[in-house]
Amino acid sequence: MSDTDELLDAARAARLRAYAPYSKLRVGSAVRSASGQVYLGCNVENAAFPIGGCAEHHAIVAAVMAEGPQLRLTAVAVAALDDDDREVPIPPCGACRQFIYEFGPEAEVSFPVRSGEVLSLPITALLPHTFEFEPGG
Ligand code: THU
């Protein structure tokens, strides 16, 4: 199995932990760091809708918690299931693209698309002209 397939399978496992009673879209994410470790996240919703969070965001937070602020991401995978347990296309949302770029400016991002195939793209293809901020710079 390729590294990408492995990461996508981990994302598919993570989505089974999702707490998504409102959207019914269960999303899982797996991120690989430069150290080779894989970290998982799922979406966690809330009755106060805006305070719920995305799977990718939570996976990256878990990775930072484990490896610290020097975290470097090499790959990210996302996968989602609808209410009928069908796999649905899940290109990462804009906020998650920005969050991925922060720790993985060269990361490869993989997710299923409508055709049923998996798309793998560099984060810079998904988010060109990324916002960057250098304190004092
Ligand atoms: N969601 C993610 O987990 N990742 C994304 O990139 C897009 C959206 C979640 C948030 C919310 O719980 C549900 O999907 C519907 O928007």
Side-chain angles (χ1 to χ4, degrees), residues 98-123:
Q98 181 73 34
F99 212 71
I100 291 165
Y101 182 86
E102 184 86 14
F103 297 98
E106 293 172 9
E108 180 188 74
V109 183
S110 302
F111 50 91
V113 286
R114 293 219 174 273
S115 60
E117 282 164 32
V118 171
L119 203 57
S120 292
L121 291 168
I123 184 64

Side-chain angles (χ1 to χ4, degrees), residues 5-52:
D5 288 343
E6 219 170 87
L7 204 62
L8 202 61
D9 270 5
R12 288 183 171 122
R15 69 191 173 184
L16 301 179
R17 303 279 195 190
Y19 177 72
Y22 305 105
S23 74
K24 315 263 193 228
L25 182 68
R26 287 165 290 156
V27 187
S29 178
V31 301
R32 183 179 285 111
S33 76
S35 74
Q37 283 295 312
V38 170
Y39 303 96
L40 306 178
C42 62
N43 58 331
V44 180
E45 299 184 346
N46 192 274
F49 292 178
I51 67 171

Side-chain angles (χ1 to χ4, degrees), residues 36-74:
Q37 283 295 312
V38 170
Y39 303 96
L40 306 178
C42 62
N43 58 331
V44 180
E45 299 184 346
N46 192 274
F49 292 178
I51 67 171
C54 288
E56 303 91 311
H57 191 120
H58 294 154
I60 293 169
V61 169
V64 172
M65 194 59 225
E67 296 197 10
Q70 307 312 321
L71 173 76
R72 261 12 246 157
L73 294 178
T74 57

